[in-house]
Amino acid sequence: SSFITGNRCERGEILGDPKDSKVKEKLKAATRHIDDVPDMMRRRKELLFADYEPAQVSPQKDMTIGLPRALEFWYSMPFWKALFTSLGFGVKISRESTRDLYEKGLPFVPSDTACFPAKVAHGHVLDLVGKKVDRIFFPMMLRAQPEHPQADSYFLCSVVQGYPLIIKESHRIEGEKLTPIDIPAFHWYDDNARNEQLVDWFNSTFGLPRDIVLAAIQEADKAQNSFNTLLQQEGAAVLDTLTREDKFGILLAARPYHNDMLVNHDLSRYFTRKGIAVLTIDSLPGIWNTDLSRIRTDLVNNFHVRMFSAAVCAAEHPALELVQIVSFGCGHDAVLSDEVSRIMKDISGKDPLILKLDESDVPGPLNIRVTSFVETVSAKRKGHITQEIKPLGDPYPVRFQKKDKKHKAVLIPTLSPSFSIICASVFRKEGLKAICLPVAESRAIELGKKYVHNDMCYPAQLNIGEALAFLEKHPHPEEIAVGLAHEECDCRLSHYATVARKALDDAGFADVPIVTTGKDKKGMHPGLRLGPSFSYRMLHGIIICDFIDAMARRLRPYEKNQGEVAELHSRMIRRTARAFESSIKEAISVFDEAVEAFNRVELLDIPRKPRVFVIGEILLNYHPASNAYIESYLEANGMEVIMPPMIDAFKKESATVKESMKRFHVRFPLAFAIENIITDFLIDAKLEKLEKRYMNFIKFETKEKYHDLSRHIEGLVDKVFNSGKGWLIPADIIEYAKKGVNSFVILQPFGCLPNHIMGRGIMKTVKKQFPHIQVLSLDFDPDTSLANIENRLQMLIINAKEMQKAAAAAKTELKKHVY
């Protein structure tokens, strides 16, 4: 019968009966007080879903399109709403997120470790079904145009890219009678590509002519621009007021979908209740003019770029403090949080508040964190504890120079033991000293866990831990450079060097430079340029490595003399590696010898053992310490292990570039396009040439090539979706299921965003197509319970053997009937 304000009892005020008119007036006054404090997060939501009244360029249609209030739409809703409205469609948007809406969608969530913004999307789709819309539109946004002039930020988060596919498949598989869901794949590298892709889709789906669609796109652009302009105008006014009144406000640095009040737990209210104004990144004037030249990470994602721009602005502006929202299970946020903290500390000594939010609804701890932060900031400002604003420091002050080629040895991390041995030899052929690191043991794992952000993926922790363990024992670390893989992509692999630089600094190896494969946009190793000769040799090395490893896997479970295959495999890998230091021709000659040597291995005359196909994130797939030596464990328990060829993972980028130009009207720079076309051609040509030699192996079995594999996923997922292992996971599983393999293991690091899509999300669809197969998905991190892993593997092994017995019995029975 009483109403108590506030959420800390000792400070609450008992107002009395809430039905009393005086109490009602007091409550209204309190609400007005909060509403008088500028809250650009709430205002952003109002503007995002407002009606911008586009001109209608096509007759009204008897069709309503549903747009879910989820994921990428929190950035682009004005565009899509105006586009469909202008074309004459009715448009309905799902209602605001609530606990009830979220919980209704929970049965359809395929991955428990997916982020909260992804999980809540299922409820929004169900809400649109309840609204009786005719179609639901939820595009797979695979690439986007960069927002910042200093960034090549074409990538989006893997979940933003692929979750519409998971939404469609998971609801369909669960038997929910759904409205049709359109999930076109879009590669928006520039305006021309965007326009042509939209023209193609609207024409093929609704028969709309080109000129009408282009006219509607202009209306959609106007709506999106109006949203951006209004938001920044109002944000500028708030910032001016704060500056004039010598107050501070909170810049909430978040991805657009963190603006969902359920997802952020109504975070802005925690500040406005204290009289503190709140701004969002895109409400900040001049946010796209920040200098990001000294940011340590690769600027590959627009939403990441926004975070770094916000950190620079908050560090430099006297009226701003920064609060960063991160999602539980988002591996990228491990990189962002470290870098945001570095930016603010280096520029002005400010400390951000970093809040990790998920679906748990416990306001008390959140209120404590916010209150502590506000009181700390207020105390600093009251005591005038400020630091002079300085330029951001050099992100990589120690560089590998040309002179270092003679004096420093490059540490080659483990991808697979075979690959790394060959890679070290190819480095030596380039005139470098190279040391192949030993496979991670307990100390390397311990150091990786200690010095690498714990939300960073396990592969990064392992590779960096291997380097730290070596440096710890080496008497002369000044003679060492740390080598790491690098690729511009939407995976955490793009940021290994970023994380490694911090780890090396913190561990006392600040003078040790970093060398990476791929493009060196940060100038980490100006003295090293790995050109076409390196790539050409590595191409041969990867293919030969794949074939030698495959021969060993095929024979090892059946060898008569235990240990013979392992010894032969090790000897041939090392001989091949030494041969690469001479010439490619010499390495191919050694490979021919390897085939002959494997053919001479004495084998037991026994039936073929149950086969298990192991696939997943590339390092977890091949690095034995990362996956708890799963290959040895399965073989010791009577299984024959099959793994995919490593070359497919190296081919997918060039193949995707070709496909983007062919089907998506993408116009890449000429040199880049030619480079990828040649790369794609060379991989196929060398694979065909070396496979002819591999066919002399007595147990040779055909493996479908990359482009042939794509036929298995037609109608399931577009083959331009290559996030992580991308469509290769379901395609490889389907290929081997058709070949009689019934057991599959998918390996992924905890928090691996691409594997939420292909490693887990799409598996129900694959299982429906092949109901007899068993698929086991395993997550790994430094604290993975090996007992739990072994228990789950034992279930798979027992089932595999039972299936083989049943198949053998059925075959025997069939023979009786035939005779």
Side-chain angles (χ1 to χ4, degrees):
S1 64
S2 298
F3 190 89
I4 304 175
T5 65
N7 55 13
R8 291 178 60 181
C9 296
E10 67 271 20
R11 295 179 63 180
E13 180 188 358
I14 299 176
L15 298 177
D17 186 348
K19 295 179 181 178
D20 185 277
S21 59
K22 291 182 180 180
V23 173
K24 284 183 179 180
E25 191 56 40
K26 281 188 177 183
L27 288 172
K28 286 181 182 179
T31 304
R32 279 196 299 270
H33 169 69
I34 295 173
D35 290 339
D36 287 342
V37 181
D39 185 344
M40 290 307 299
M41 181 165 272
R42 287 181 175 274
R43 181 59 177 149
R44 184 188 189 280
K45 183 188 71 173
E46 293 172 3
L47 292 173
L48 188 77
F49 298 105
D51 186 1
Y52 291 95
E53 300 181 353
Q56 189 168 319
V57 298
S58 184
Q60 191 66 34
K61 297 166 181 59
D62 187 23
M63 181 180 291
T64 300
I65 305 295
L67 304 178
R69 195 185 293 247
L71 294 175
E72 204 272 340
F73 282 113
W74 278 93
Y75 166 69
S76 61
M77 184 62 81
F79 178 89
W80 292 113
K81 183 181 177 184
L83 181 64
F84 280 104
T85 302
S86 181
L87 288 170
F89 295 96
V91 174
K92 285 186 179 179
I93 300 172
S94 59
R95 63 189 170 95
E96 291 191 30
S97 298
T98 62
R99 296 297 299 183
D100 177 64
L101 178 142
Y102 159 66
E103 287 168 2
K104 282 182 179 177
L106 269 181
F108 302 94
V109 176
S111 176
D112 289 340
T113 54
C115 62
F116 189 21
K119 292 176 180 177
V120 78
H122 292 271
H124 284 281
V125 169
L126 289 176
D127 182 65
L128 289 170
V129 172
K131 290 179 182 290
K132 308 295 184 185
V133 298
D134 297 299
R135 302 178 79 99
I136 296 171
F137 180 74
F138 206 166
M140 296 176 65
M141 303 301 299
L142 304 184
R143 299 292 183 269
Q145 299 176 65
E147 294 177 331
H148 196 287
Q150 291 178 338
D152 291 326
S153 47
Y154 293 100
F155 292 94
L156 291 100
C157 156
S158 307
V159 172
V160 170
Q161 290 183 52
Y163 216 76
L165 170 66
I166 302 310
I167 291 283
K168 182 173 182 176
E169 290 301 317
S170 63
H171 286 256
R172 183 170 64 85
I173 293 300
E174 291 295 335
E176 182 75 15
K177 188 176 180 182
L178 275 187
T179 306
I181 303 179
D182 295 312
I183 57 166
F186 289 138
H187 274 227
W188 286 2
Y189 282 93
D190 53 40
D191 284 342
N192 178 71
R194 179 197 68 169
N195 294 349
E196 294 301 328
Q197 289 169 40
L198 287 172
V199 166
D200 287 350
W201 187 77
F202 277 102
N203 181 263
S204 61
T205 308
F206 301 110
L208 295 172
R210 175 187 177 83
D211 58 334
I212 294 296
V213 176
L214 290 176
I217 290 172
Q218 288 186 342
E219 295 300 312
D221 280 337
K222 289 178 186 176
Q224 190 72 37
N225 291 336
S226 295
F227 162 73
N228 292 331
T229 301
L230 286 169
L231 191 64
Q232 291 218 344
Q233 285 175 348
E234 295 188 22
V238 172
L239 196 58
D240 287 344
T241 301
L242 290 173
T243 303
R244 187 173 60 253
E245 296 179 358
D246 195 23
K247 294 180 178 178
F248 74 91
I250 296 298
L251 175 57
L252 279 180
R255 291 177 171 83
Y257 40 80
H258 287 137
N259 280 254
D260 186 321
M261 296 303 169
L262 179 70
V263 170
N264 67 48
H265 300 276
D266 210 0
L267 180 60
S268 63
R269 284 294 207 204
Y270 286 80
F271 294 99
T272 55
R273 276 199 298 263
K274 300 176 186 298
I276 301 171
V278 171
L279 293 104
T280 61
I281 298 176
D282 45 3
S283 70
L284 208 60
I287 193 70
W288 313 132
N289 299 324
T290 49
D291 180 10
L292 302 183
S293 60
R294 294 201 164 195
I295 301 300
R296 186 174 276 173
T297 67
D298 278 356
L299 304 175
V300 296
N301 182 312
N302 277 335
F303 298 164
H304 298 182
V305 173
R306 288 180 171 210
M307 295 278 195
F308 299 141
S309 295
V312 172
C313 288
E316 293 179 343
H317 201 290
L320 291 177
E321 298 289 343
L322 187 128
V323 175
Q324 183 188 2
I325 301 175
V326 301
S327 289
F328 177 79
C330 179
H332 285 289
D333 282 336
V335 184
L336 300 186
S337 299
D338 279 350
E339 184 62 2
V340 164
S341 296
R342 182 187 80 90
I343 290 167
M344 299 196 68
K345 198 76 175 174
D346 281 8
I347 292 177
S348 61
K350 291 182 180 180
D351 292 305
L353 172 63
I354 298 170
L355 297 172
K356 182 183 289 189
L357 304 178
D358 60 14
E359 54 265 44
S360 60
D361 190 17
V362 186
L366 185 58
N367 186 52
I368 291 170
R369 294 286 309 279
V370 168
T371 301
S372 299
F373 176 71
V374 169
E375 290 180 0
T376 301
V377 168
S378 299
K380 282 183 177 181
R381 287 173 172 269
K382 189 175 181 180
H384 302 288
I385 304 173
T386 58
Q387 183 174 307
E388 182 183 350
I389 293 175
K390 301 179 297 186
L392 188 59
D394 190 335
Y396 296 97
V398 181
R399 292 175 165 80
F400 186 89
Q401 305 291 349
K402 196 171 184 179
K403 62 182 181 181
D404 293 329
K405 280 185 166 185
K406 297 179 180 179
H407 307 295
K408 294 186 187 293
V410 177
L411 303 182
I412 306 299
T414 305
L415 176 51
S416 75
S418 303
F419 171 90
S420 301
I421 291 168
I422 289 175
C423 183
S425 291
V426 176
F427 263 88
R428 293 186 196 108
K429 182 65 175 176
E430 293 288 314
L432 290 141
K433 297 178 181 180
I435 299 173
C436 187
L437 286 169
V439 173
E441 295 181 345
S442 58
R443 182 57 178 164
I445 294 171
E446 180 184 338
L447 289 170
K449 184 178 175 181
K450 179 177 181 179
Y451 289 108
V452 177
H453 195 298
N454 289 165
D455 284 342
M456 191 60 180
C457 62
Y458 191 30
Q461 293 180 28
L462 271 180
N463 275 174
I464 295 168
E466 285 172 339
L468 291 173
F470 183 91
L471 287 165
E472 191 176 59
K473 293 180 179 178
H474 199 278
H476 300 290
E478 70 277 2
E479 297 175 352
I480 300 297
V482 172
L484 289 169
H486 175 253
E487 181 183 347
E488 285 186 283
C489 59
D490 49 4
C491 169
R492 286 176 280 191
L493 176 61
S494 183
H495 307 298
Y496 277 20
T498 301
V499 179
R501 183 69 273 159
K502 183 178 187 300
L504 289 167
D505 293 348
D506 292 348
F509 301 110
D511 292 333
V512 175
I514 295 173
V515 169
T516 67
T517 56
K519 295 176 182 176
D520 179 26
K521 290 186 175 180
K522 298 296 177 180
M524 288 179 282
H525 44 92
L528 176 63
R529 290 286 183 268
L530 298 174
S533 63
F534 173 83
S535 300
Y536 192 64
R537 287 189 183 90
M538 278 308 306
L539 170 58
H540 287 82
I542 294 166
I543 296 172
I544 290 174
C545 175
D546 276 339
F547 290 155
I548 293 178
D549 285 356
M551 287 189 288
R553 288 191 190 101
R554 180 64 180 88
L555 299 184
R556 200 161 45 226
Y558 309 99
E559 61 185 355
K560 184 174 287 186
N561 303 309
Q562 193 169 10
E564 180 183 0
V565 173
E567 187 279 329
L568 175 61
H569 172 260
S570 176
R571 176 157 43 90
M572 284 304 175
I573 284 292
R574 293 184 185 281
R575 281 194 58 197
T576 304
R578 288 195 297 272
F580 270 110
E581 294 182 42
S582 175
S583 68
I584 292 174
K585 184 178 180 181
E586 181 67 22
I588 293 174
S589 177
V590 174
F591 172 59
D592 288 337
E593 292 180 39
V595 174
E596 293 174 8
F598 278 109
N599 285 342
R600 292 193 294 269
V601 172
E602 289 188 83
L603 303 176
L604 297 168
D605 185 18
I606 58 174
R608 194 163 190 181
K609 296 181 178 182
R611 290 172 289 167
V612 55
F613 182 72
V614 180
I615 191 171
E617 188 276 334
I618 183 169
L619 188 139
L620 229 18
N621 215 147
Y622 305 108
H623 190 306
S626 75
N627 57 41
Y629 293 86
I630 192 171
E631 187 175 354
S632 299
Y633 182 85
L634 289 167
E635 287 181 358
N637 281 272
M639 305 288 282
E640 178 191 328
V641 177
I642 307 168
M643 287 193 179
M646 198 180 291
I647 191 63
D648 281 353
F650 289 90
K651 179 180 169 67
K652 65 186 180 72
E653 185 58 33
S654 59
T656 302
V657 168
K658 279 184 62 179
E659 192 72 15
S660 299
M661 291 189 290
K662 179 181 176 182
R663 289 176 45 222
F664 290 89
H665 308 280
V666 178
R667 298 180 295 193
F668 293 108
L670 182 61
F672 178 79
I674 292 173
E675 176 189 346
N676 280 275
I677 291 170
I678 292 173
T679 298
D680 191 68
F681 169 77
L682 281 175
I683 291 174
D684 288 342
K686 298 307 171 186
L687 191 57
E688 182 178 355
K689 176 183 175 182
L690 290 167
E691 189 178 62
K692 287 179 180 178
R693 297 170 181 270
Y694 177 45
M695 289 171 70
N696 293 321
F697 176 50
I698 55 171
K699 298 292 184 180
F700 170 79
E701 293 174 327
T702 58
K703 171 73 179 79
E704 291 185 355
K705 307 298 186 299
Y706 183 95
H707 291 296
D708 296 326
L709 276 171
S710 63
R711 64 188 174 86
H712 293 305
I713 47 93
E714 286 180 6
L716 176 62
V717 56
D718 199 298
K719 61 182 178 180
V720 292
F721 181 72
N722 68 355
S723 187
K725 286 282 280 192
W727 58 266
L728 283 170
I729 290 180
D732 273 328
I733 289 175
I734 291 170
E735 180 200 357
Y736 280 102
K738 289 180 176 179
K739 289 180 177 179
V741 176
N742 296 322
S743 302
F744 300 88
V745 178
I746 302 174
L747 307 174
Q748 57 244 343
F750 178 80
C752 182
L753 307 187
N755 271 291
H756 291 319
I757 312 303
M758 289 296 138
R760 291 181 183 272
I762 210 68
M763 282 305 111
K764 283 187 179 180
T765 303
V766 175
K767 285 264 292 178
K768 188 173 183 180
Q769 187 177 348
F770 300 93
H772 61 284
I773 69 173
Q774 53 176 342
V775 181
L776 176 61
S777 185
L778 298 174
D779 282 8
F780 286 85
D781 64 22
D783 299 313
T784 295
S785 167
L786 297 186
N788 178 266
I789 294 291
E790 288 189 6
N791 286 339
R792 298 180 69 194
L793 286 174
Q794 279 298 325
M795 290 296 295
L796 177 128
I797 291 163
I798 292 167
N799 289 338
K801 290 178 179 179
E802 290 298 322
M803 283 191 281
Q804 181 151 320
K805 284 180 185 177
K811 191 174 182 180
T812 302
E813 190 67 25
L814 179 62
K815 282 183 179 179
K816 289 180 183 178
H817 288 293
V818 170
Y819 292 144

